Amino acid sequence: MNIMSESKTEDFKLKFGPENPNAIEVRDLVKIYTGRKVIEEVRAVDGISFSVNKGELFGLLGPNGAGKTTTINILVGLLDQTEGEAFVGGYDVKKNLPKIKELIGVCPQQASVYQYLNAKENIELFGNLHLVKKEVINERMEKFLNLLGLSKAANRAAKKYSGGMLRQLNLIVALISDPAILFLDEPTVGMDARVRRATWDFINSLKNTNKTVILTTHYIEEAEVLCDRVAIIDFGKLVALGPPKELIAKHGAKDLEEVFLKITGRRIMEGL
């Protein structure tokens, strides 16, 4: 199912920077927190390296405090790295952040929508901020609302939405500009099983548009079902990388949760 009527993937191929051909490239990335409010130096990200192919759905796994969100925040320009290099769409995050912002969509952990606006008003607002044409906004909005089951609540103020509905609206807002690279940080937290499955189907359909998706999640089954490859991060270090099936076979495990347990000595949800 193609969720975009007019994909910009080909246009974005022309815009990708010359410094690296991958959608994402991270080299020896380090983030150290210091300062008056920090009692001792904290190495939130400790020398990790990985790459994400164009069109790949790539998972970042790890308990709270592992370094997943810090890594994402560096890639989208919200934090500066202490050491190492990071490229998004071939552009260096330290040198070409404006170019990177043209390529990406971000769905953060916390809802970024305006509570007193309804779904349609929020989507229109963010579409306008991205200079998307009105008719394109309306076309995409109708498709997304239908696909995620929000059409009947589209005229309801966001403050009256459940946590799961807010996250679905957050996802639509992140996609309204048709980004080539999409960052999803815990997109299904707080959703019931039915809504989570519908959201999985929606995220999986993004593969049909050749989008690159970087997904962080505490739901190990989610990563196992959706991701082409996963990286497992623990205490700021990269401890495993590969397709879920290969990691499961390599470690003689029954599923990805057991792989995590064998590698780190704890279950992924223990960090919550």
Side-chain angles (χ1 to χ4, degrees):
M1 175 174 55
N2 194 326
I3 65 172
M4 294 294 184
S5 60
E6 52 161 318
S7 175
K8 296 194 295 185
T9 304
E10 293 301 323
D11 293 337
F12 275 123
K13 285 181 181 178
L14 301 177
K15 292 183 179 180
F16 269 37
E19 299 179 61
N20 197 285
N22 295 313
I24 305 287
E25 182 79 22
V26 173
R27 303 171 184 165
D28 302 315
L29 196 66
V30 174
K31 178 61 181 179
I32 300 173
Y33 289 106
T34 59
R36 293 180 181 179
K37 295 184 180 180
V38 180
I39 298 175
E40 60 183 32
E41 179 180 288
V42 176
R43 296 179 74 88
V45 178
D46 194 5
I48 66 174
S49 298
F50 64 87
S51 63
V52 181
N53 301 319
K54 292 178 184 177
E56 185 173 27
L57 208 164
F58 186 88
L60 281 177
L61 304 180
N64 277 355
K68 306 185 307 296
T69 297
T70 297
T71 300
I72 294 294
N73 285 342
I74 291 170
L75 292 173
V76 303
L78 294 178
L79 286 176
D80 291 329
Q81 69 261 43
T82 306
E83 299 174 15
E85 296 177 297
F87 300 86
V88 177
Y91 294 106
D92 190 320
V93 295
K94 279 195 169 183
K95 299 175 182 177
N96 291 293
L97 192 55
K99 289 286 188 182
I100 290 171
K101 288 182 177 180
E102 294 179 7
L103 297 172
I104 66 173
V106 182
C107 184
Q109 286 187 31
Q110 300 300 320
S112 59
V113 299
Y114 290 91
Q115 299 288 313
Y116 288 94
L117 298 180
N118 63 37
K120 289 183 177 180
E121 290 167 339
N122 268 292
I123 296 166
E124 288 173 356
L125 173 61
F126 283 92
N128 289 332
L129 290 173
H130 285 283
L131 304 179
V132 182
K133 293 179 180 180
K134 183 177 180 179
E135 59 270 21
V136 176
I137 293 175
N138 291 336
E139 183 181 348
R140 291 175 183 166
M141 176 166 56
E142 183 179 354
K143 285 191 175 184
F144 292 153
L145 290 172
N146 285 333
L147 285 168
L148 287 171
L150 290 179
S151 294
K152 291 183 179 180
N155 293 311
R156 189 190 310 168
K159 67 177 182 177
K160 297 181 180 180
Y161 276 20
S162 67
M165 292 169 70
L166 279 175
R167 290 187 177 276
Q168 288 184 311
L169 180 55
N170 225 26
L171 180 55
I172 294 173
V173 164
L175 276 164
I176 197 62
S177 65
D178 192 14
I181 301 172
L182 181 65
F183 293 89
L184 303 180
D185 197 0
E186 303 286 354
T188 62
V189 169
M191 293 181 180
D192 62 38
R194 179 187 61 81
V195 175
R196 182 177 298 124
R197 285 285 179 175
T199 305
W200 287 6
D201 290 342
F202 182 82
I203 293 171
N204 194 52
S205 74
L206 297 175
K207 291 182 180 181
N208 295 329
T209 64
N210 279 331
K211 291 189 184 306
T212 303
V213 181
I214 295 86
L215 171 72
T216 71
T217 181
H218 277 102
Y219 297 110
I220 202 84
E221 182 188 2
E222 184 167 283
E224 191 171 329
V225 169
L226 294 175
C227 295
D228 299 309
R229 287 188 304 145
V230 298
I232 298 177
I233 300 175
D234 197 27
F235 296 109
K237 293 184 178 293
L238 184 67
V239 295
L241 175 66
K245 289 183 179 180
E246 288 186 12
L247 291 177
I248 291 168
K250 177 181 178 181
H251 293 277
K254 64 180 180 181
D255 54 30
L256 205 53
E257 173 74 18
E258 189 173 324
V259 172
F260 190 90
L261 179 61
K262 286 188 174 187
I263 292 174
T264 69
R266 54 183 172 157
R267 295 190 179 278
I268 196 168
M269 299 297 282
E270 288 178 23
L272 292 174

